[in-house]
Amino acid sequence: MIYIALNVVLVVACVLLSVYVDSHTGNQSDNPLIPMLLVLASCAGLVAFCILISSVAPARLTLFAGRLCLIDMAFFSLMFSTYCVNFPKNETSRAQKIGSSVLILFGAWVLFSKIDSFTISKYSGFFVSSKPLFSGALGDILRWTWFQLYCFLFVVFVPGFSALLMLVKSENIESNIDRQKIYLIALGVMASWIFALVLHLGSFRVPMFNTLFVFALVVTQLTSIQASTHNMLYDFDLIFGLSSKFILRYLFTSVIGGILFAAFYPLARFYGWGFVALEAFCASAVLTISHQLYKMLGRRSQYRDSQYAQNFEDDIANLDFNTEPENIMNELFDIFSRNLRTTSLSIMVDNNNGELEMMYSTNPLPENDRYSISINSIMLDTLWNIGQRVILRINAETQYVFQPIREELRSFFKHTKSEAFIMLHEGRRIIGIIVLGAKKDANIYDDVDYALFNKLYSYFFVVGFYMRNIMNENVIGTVGREIRMSEQIITSIQKNIDDVKNPKADFGYVMIPAHSIGGEFVELIKLSEDRHIFIIGSLSGKGISASMSMVILKSVIRTYLVETSDFKLLVQKVNHFIRAHLPLGTFFAGVFMLMDFSTDTLFYVNCGTPALFMYNRTYNNIVEIQGDGRVLGFVEDVSNLVKVKKIKLGKGDMILACTSGLLTSTSLRGEMFGRERVQNLMMENMTFPAERMAQFTYDALVKFASKELSDDVSIIVMKYFGDK
């Protein structure tokens, strides 16, 4: 019964593995590994069926099921051999199809004409009786049967010869990772033969062992899956490092712990609790020493594993944008080189002519040979549409999702001499690309790197934004760096605000930082002709850090709107981004508004906005409508704290929202500007356009303060006309 269960477990495992392979290869419909796994599942299922019916069903049924099982084995052998011969491509030629068909027909002829019986019992195990291959005197010398020939052909010769051809072909393959995969697959064939030999020898003592022969085939399949889905180059340093850490983490503790236990065990007879306490102390000491040594080795590059991610994140989060541009870029390259062993780094940015041009590279860039690519190229447009912003060369070569633009990607990697790139976009507009060269140890960028680059995307966006707006030679002058950055950031924000051109409303805003730079912003985003998003608020902090966080958040909001249609969910995702990706302690205070002109309804979410005023023409008065609200960025989950409210707007109604700088700024006598003055200004200026109302309110604040303002000020005004 146990052998039936083992084969059934193998069936389930093969099916689950096929699902895993399908999900890790971009759902590639023609991936040969998937049908190979299903054939193995069928083969194991037939073995289990044969064992089950061998003692109760007619011998003919067992024979027929056994023949089907062996045909499955031949199918797997030929599929695997074709996979090896064509590796790393999957292009089966007509000659290969004809050859496979001939071998299958030959195998079927052997099984149905030369096999006499098929039995399974605990005394004989998996036993096949077949006619001798040779007759007469030659048959006395070579006592081979047709079944032995069948097994040799499909278990040894066909896969072995295919693996040999694959190894010969590997000498002409340029890719180190593909060459390593070939070696791994060939080792899998050898491991499969060894496993089959062990089962064969073991069957002399336990005959039923040979009913597990499908497990030997699975060994080959597992190595093929490992080669297909894992893209790490196992160089000597890495293998040595992993082995050393395994020895240190497991063997060291177990061996030393065992020696100490044996040394102190005689004490247990006389000092029971004392022995327990001593062993506990020794175990703690051994584990502590092992852990500290493990951490020490983890800092060395040859022992590096995924723990490097935290060091990389810390380094790039602390990148100082207050130094000279060249120093910033050199420090960025040093971060990549130190943590990922990157050999080169280049940055392409929008040159305002519809192209991304190579503006910085650790490799010399001849003025007449700067590589560029159109922002509207098919490659970049396709990457945006499929949601890929981190592209690794190995993924571009192997994953089905990149098939439509594979040649374009190959050309890009060739011209830039790179192995990975990170595409930076603000909303739908691509502003730059960070291009990464090969690693020093000839390794590749793997799944760990891919996950890390996606996680830290916001930091890379800052670099791209800096390159495009600050380091561009056209804007670098002799004035202070903060002023230059302020002008560029504010200009960028203003350019990316969508104009609200709806006859039902008039919009206006002002956004003025107190010290040339700040974290406040106003955002107007057009979703459709009748639906617009309005956001006003401020991020904690001042200066470069706050302004950069503001730019990042502004871009992220537009990105989220591409994939999120739920207004409340949008706010929740923004909260998560602030908490997870912006500097620790950053929070957002403001309000999100969604105006639906088709129903004259304003939906809004208060996120700690200081004031949201509404003038109602019917009652000719002004009320505050913001209610209770929580700032974003303090707690992980705000789903229970976010409340979407709505109000119906009529002809002549007005909305004014502002940040705290308008309300809390003080005069020379220490008096705050306050809510009442804002409301009075709304009543006094309501006959003016919304833009002038916002400006007049700010002008009144400046006149009131009679001094330089210490807080940023943002004001947004909407005058609602309704159906005229």
Side-chain angles (χ1 to χ4, degrees):
M1 197 66 185
I2 183 63
Y3 298 99
I4 296 176
L6 287 173
N7 279 284
V8 170
V9 168
L10 187 58
V11 171
V12 176
C14 287
V15 173
L16 293 177
L17 265 176
S18 68
V19 175
Y20 170 83
V21 172
D22 186 48
S23 64
H24 282 70
T25 53
N27 295 320
Q28 184 178 346
S29 58
D30 60 347
N31 189 331
L33 294 175
I34 297 173
M36 287 162 64
L37 282 166
L38 296 179
V39 168
L40 283 180
S42 172
C43 190
L46 286 169
V47 172
F49 178 71
C50 289
I51 299 173
L52 183 64
I53 67 171
S54 59
S55 59
V56 295
R60 283 190 174 185
L61 180 60
T62 306
L63 177 61
F64 180 73
R67 285 168 172 167
L68 292 181
C69 174
L70 293 173
I71 282 287
D72 270 355
M73 183 185 74
F75 265 117
F76 171 78
S77 176
L78 292 172
M79 293 169 72
F80 173 76
S81 300
T82 302
Y83 177 76
C84 290
V85 172
N86 295 327
F87 189 86
K89 297 181 179 180
N90 181 31
E91 300 172 355
T92 306
S93 67
R94 186 176 181 181
Q96 289 173 334
K97 292 178 180 178
I98 294 174
S100 296
S101 299
V102 170
L103 286 173
I104 281 293
L105 290 174
F106 173 75
W109 176 76
V110 171
L111 293 175
F112 283 90
S113 65
K114 302 298 181 181
I115 301 297
D116 298 324
S117 64
F118 184 94
T119 58
I120 298 179
S121 70
K122 64 179 180 180
Y123 302 107
S124 62
F126 189 101
F127 180 75
V128 178
S129 174
S130 69
K131 294 180 174 61
L133 183 60
F134 304 105
S135 59
L138 184 60
D140 294 334
I141 300 173
L142 300 175
R143 297 179 179 276
W144 274 35
T145 65
W146 281 97
F147 176 66
Q148 289 174 321
L149 174 65
Y150 184 91
C151 292
F152 174 79
L153 179 64
F154 291 109
V155 176
V156 179
F157 179 77
V158 170
F161 183 71
S162 301
L164 181 61
L165 288 178
M166 183 176 60
L167 288 170
V168 172
K169 189 173 65 173
S170 69
E171 297 301 319
N172 298 320
I173 291 180
E174 295 181 2
S175 171
N176 290 332
I177 190 67
D178 284 341
R179 191 177 298 112
Q180 176 183 272
K181 289 181 177 183
I182 287 173
Y183 297 155
L184 185 61
I185 294 172
L187 284 173
V189 174
M190 296 181 62
S192 178
W193 289 343
I194 293 171
F195 195 100
L197 180 61
V198 170
L199 288 176
H200 176 68
L201 295 176
S203 65
F204 289 119
R205 295 184 61 87
V206 183
M208 288 294 287
F209 271 9
N210 58 16
T211 62
L212 303 177
F213 73 90
V214 183
F215 281 83
L217 303 179
V218 170
V219 172
T220 302
Q221 189 67 2
L222 288 175
T223 55
S224 300
I225 293 172
Q226 176 73 13
S228 173
T229 58
H230 291 75
N231 296 314
M232 177 178 288
L233 198 62
Y234 297 98
D235 58 5
F236 175 79
D237 281 349
L238 181 61
I239 295 174
F240 178 74
L242 292 174
S243 302
S244 300
K245 287 194 289 187
F246 173 79
I247 293 172
L248 185 61
R249 203 167 197 178
Y250 301 106
L251 293 186
F252 173 80
T253 54
S254 58
V255 171
I256 300 300
I259 292 174
L260 292 175
F261 180 86
F264 297 127
Y265 184 72
L267 299 177
R269 298 177 59 187
F270 307 103
Y271 309 101
W273 287 107
F275 169 75
V276 172
L278 182 61
E279 277 300 308
F281 171 79
C282 291
S284 300
V286 170
L287 289 173
T288 300
I289 294 171
S290 173
H291 179 69
Q292 293 300 321
L293 289 174
Y294 181 82
K295 285 177 60 178
M296 182 181 69
L297 288 178
R299 300 188 188 101
R300 301 175 63 90
S301 60
Q302 61 263 44
Y303 299 100
R304 192 197 74 151
D305 58 15
S306 59
Q307 297 300 318
Y308 83 98
Q310 187 58 53
N311 295 331
F312 182 82
E313 182 175 357
D314 293 341
D315 288 345
I316 202 164
N318 293 322
L319 188 62
D320 185 7
F321 286 91
N322 285 317
T323 60
E324 291 299 322
E326 187 174 349
N327 293 339
I328 296 172
M329 295 299 104
N330 290 338
E331 175 60 22
L332 178 67
F333 171 60
D334 184 62
I335 291 171
F336 274 94
S337 178
R338 185 168 60 249
N339 292 284
L340 284 91
R341 308 178 77 180
T342 301
T343 57
S344 66
L345 181 143
S346 304
I347 298 181
M348 305 178 69
V349 296
D350 181 5
N351 62 6
N352 297 319
N353 292 321
E355 292 182 331
L356 296 177
E357 184 180 352
M358 196 76 74
M359 298 297 295
Y360 169 83
S361 178
T362 54
N363 297 322
L365 286 175
E367 287 295 327
N368 59 350
D369 190 29
R370 286 193 174 184
Y371 178 72
S372 63
I373 182 172
S374 171
I375 290 178
N376 299 317
S377 67
I378 294 176
M379 184 187 85
L380 298 182
D381 189 57
T382 302
L383 290 174
W384 164 261
N385 289 328
I386 63 177
Q388 296 286 335
R389 58 190 183 189
V390 176
I391 297 87
L392 311 183
R393 184 168 192 164
I394 185 63
N395 291 345
E397 291 288 350
T398 58
Q399 293 185 3
Y400 185 73
V401 69
F402 297 108
Q403 178 63 33
I405 54 171
R406 184 157 293 158
E407 291 305 320
E408 289 83 356
L409 287 169
R410 287 172 177 167
S411 176
F412 181 87
F413 285 120
K414 178 181 178 180
H415 281 94
T416 58
K417 300 178 181 178
S418 60
E419 293 293 325
F421 66 89
I422 304 166
M423 191 170 68
L424 310 171
H425 51 80
E426 191 172 13
R428 190 173 175 84
R429 180 177 177 80
I430 299 172
I431 65 170
I433 297 177
I434 296 178
V435 183
L436 304 176
K439 295 188 178 182
K440 293 178 182 176
D441 49 13
N443 212 324
I444 64 167
Y445 296 94
D446 54 27
D447 295 339
V448 175
D449 300 322
Y450 178 84
L452 179 65
F453 293 159
N454 273 297
K455 177 184 177 183
L456 303 182
Y457 172 78
S458 59
Y459 293 103
F460 301 135
F461 173 82
V462 172
V463 174
F465 182 86
Y466 178 88
M467 286 289 294
R468 178 175 180 267
N469 296 286
I470 310 306
M471 194 175 170
N472 192 309
E473 294 175 352
N474 295 328
V475 299
I476 293 181
T478 57
V479 296
R481 184 177 294 103
E482 259 195 25
I483 297 177
R484 292 202 307 272
M485 183 174 283
S486 171
E487 292 172 350
Q488 294 301 313
I489 290 174
I490 293 173
T491 300
S492 175
I493 292 172
Q494 290 172 339
K495 286 182 179 179
N496 284 296
I497 288 181
D498 298 339
D499 292 332
V500 181
K501 297 178 180 178
N502 193 293
K504 285 190 172 185
D506 176 31
F507 282 83
Y509 70 91
V510 295
M511 180 181 55
I512 303 175
H515 302 291
S516 299
I517 203 165
E520 301 218 346
F521 71 93
V522 171
E523 180 70 293
L524 312 179
I525 305 173
K526 180 180 178 180
L527 303 179
S528 67
E529 292 298 329
D530 292 323
R531 293 167 68 86
H532 287 72
I533 291 278
F534 314 129
I535 306 169
I536 181 173
S538 63
L539 286 165
S540 57
K542 297 184 184 298
I544 292 175
S545 176
S547 66
M548 280 306 191
S549 295
M550 173 266 293
V551 172
I552 294 169
L553 185 62
K554 193 173 187 295
S555 174
V556 165
I557 290 172
R558 286 182 174 264
T559 302
Y560 283 161
L561 281 171
V562 175
E563 58 192 41
T564 305
S565 58
D566 187 300
F567 186 46
K568 180 177 179 179
L569 181 60
L570 170 67
V571 178
Q572 292 175 212
K573 294 181 75 169
V574 170
N575 173 79
H576 174 75
F577 180 84
I578 293 171
R579 185 170 176 83
H581 299 294
L582 294 184
L584 186 64
T586 300
F587 63 87
F588 170 85
V591 61
F592 287 73
M593 295 176 279
L594 170 63
M595 185 67 219
D596 188 343
F597 291 110
S598 63
T599 60
D600 301 321
T601 305
L602 177 69
F603 301 89
Y604 63 95
V605 175
N606 178 15
C607 302
T609 185
L612 181 60
F613 300 106
M614 175 184 176
Y615 168 75
N616 185 280
R617 182 180 179 183
T618 303
Y619 298 101
N620 193 34
N621 69 345
I622 297 174
V623 294
E624 288 193 54
I625 60 172
Q626 71 263 30
D628 295 331
R630 301 293 183 91
V631 297
L632 303 183
F634 267 126
V635 296
E636 184 70 30
D637 184 11
V638 294
S639 56
N640 295 327
L641 304 175
V642 171
K643 296 183 177 8
V644 179
K645 298 185 178 182
K646 66 178 182 178
I647 53 174
K648 202 82 169 176
L649 296 179
K651 183 178 180 180
D653 292 347
M654 286 191 301
I655 298 291
L656 185 148
C658 62
T659 53
S660 59
L662 178 63
L663 302 177
T664 61
S665 292
T666 59
S667 66
L668 292 174
R669 293 180 294 180
E671 182 182 2
M672 283 200 307
F673 193 70
R675 286 171 164 76
E676 186 176 349
R677 285 187 175 84
V678 176
Q679 294 177 16
N680 291 336
L681 287 166
M682 286 180 67
M683 298 294 289
E684 293 172 6
N685 299 316
M686 68 172 56
T687 58
F688 293 99
E691 187 80 33
R692 297 190 68 182
M693 284 186 65
Q695 186 62 51
F696 288 163
T697 304
Y698 178 76
D699 292 343
L701 172 65
V702 174
K703 184 177 179 181
F704 168 80
S706 298
K707 61 178 181 179
E708 182 181 355
L709 297 177
S710 59
D711 289 324
D712 304 334
V713 176
S714 295
I715 306 167
I716 185 171
V717 177
M718 178 177 71
K719 298 181 68 175
Y720 204 72
F721 303 141
D723 293 318
K724 292 186 178 181

